[in-house]
Amino acid sequence: MDLRPFMERWGMLPPSGGTMLVAVSGGRDSVCLLHYLASLGRRRGFAVAAAHYNHLMRPTAGRDEAFVAGLCRELSVPLYVERGDVRAIARQEGWGVEEAGRRLRYDFLERTADAIGASRIATAHHLSDQAETVVLNLLRGTGPEGLAGIPPVRGRLIRPLLQTPRQEIEAYLTAHGLGHVEDETNNSMDFTRNRLRQEVWPLLAQLHPAP
């Protein structure tokens, strides 16, 4: 897996001596991204830090935070953690739970990047996330901008894995002996994206099998 051409094309790499903040949940995608960028940073002369937002939504949230902390110790990457009761804040603000989690997470990433002087914030959105986002936007009646999906770069937010399929991510984890944690809410049908992933994509695959 070589993300450098994509990153260079979109100006994602920080300058030598700069800092990149990586959002890390502990799932396979963010573990892959952190490991790759930490290695790349050592070769290209930029620093990498990790940020983990604990949504306090699951009994296993503490396990995920501990896993990320252990991974960062192994990689010698500084870690910044914040915790927030997403369900309580969603009720208080009148937001949906998914929207509340997104707002709080990105607010934390921006504040942390400001505090450490990071010029880039990397998230682990990959090719399947891009396809799901386009379909969800279409269902919501989006305009042309929404049909473009997730932008590779928005301000200092970057998505180095955006053209990377899930299979390459899994192969990278296997090749480097990297573990990850599974978020059990990914199986919950309470969330629209999960229903799309588990019900709609299999149907689309039957209607139009990949060549």
Side-chain angles (χ1 to χ4, degrees):
M1 187 177 75
D2 185 5
L3 305 179
R4 289 173 301 173
F6 182 65
M7 294 181 71
E8 288 170 352
R9 173 153 56 95
W10 286 96
M12 294 182 181
L13 294 169
S16 179
T19 300
M20 180 181 292
L21 181 66
V22 184
V24 185
S25 67
R28 58 167 61 83
D29 309 324
S30 63
V31 167
C32 170
L33 184 63
L34 179 64
H35 186 276
Y36 183 92
L37 292 177
S39 175
L40 182 63
R42 286 191 290 271
R43 299 195 305 272
R44 298 292 291 262
F46 63 85
V48 169
H52 176 80
Y53 190 83
N54 186 336
H55 296 75
L56 301 176
M57 291 175 60
R58 299 174 287 110
T60 53
R63 172 210 63 184
D64 296 358
E65 182 181 322
F67 173 84
V68 173
L71 175 65
C72 289
R73 284 194 297 271
E74 291 177 15
L75 298 177
S76 299
V77 168
L79 171 65
Y80 301 88
V81 175
E82 185 166 285
R83 304 174 187 90
D85 190 336
V86 171
R87 292 190 188 278
I89 295 171
R91 288 193 300 270
Q92 175 184 320
E93 299 293 336
W95 299 333
V97 173
E98 289 178 281
E99 175 67 10
R102 187 190 68 80
R103 288 189 183 212
L104 294 168
R105 185 167 59 252
Y106 279 101
D107 176 70
F108 163 59
L109 291 173
E110 292 285 356
R111 286 187 285 104
T112 303
D114 286 341
I116 67 174
S119 60
R120 306 285 190 276
I121 302 171
T123 67
H125 295 89
H126 54 82
L127 190 60
S128 294
D129 294 320
Q130 178 71 293
E132 291 168 4
T133 297
V134 170
V135 172
L136 287 172
N137 287 345
L138 182 63
L139 293 173
R140 292 166 182 151
T142 186
E145 183 178 344
L147 290 178
I150 305 169
V153 177
R154 189 178 75 238
R156 61 179 164 180
L157 281 169
I158 64 171
R159 279 89 181 205
L161 292 172
L162 200 57
Q163 289 191 335
T164 305
R166 170 60 61 83
Q167 296 90 331
E168 284 192 32
I169 293 171
E170 292 177 344
Y172 184 94
L173 295 178
T174 299
H176 292 276
L178 296 168
H180 67 280
V181 291
E182 291 284 354
D183 180 349
E184 58 271 23
T185 63
N186 287 337
N187 296 318
S188 171
M189 293 303 183
D190 293 336
F191 302 104
T192 306
R193 190 176 287 268
N194 292 347
R195 295 192 66 184
L196 174 65
R197 187 176 298 147
Q198 297 182 42
E199 295 181 347
V200 177
W201 284 137
L203 177 59
L204 291 176
Q206 292 176 28
L207 294 173
H208 186 68

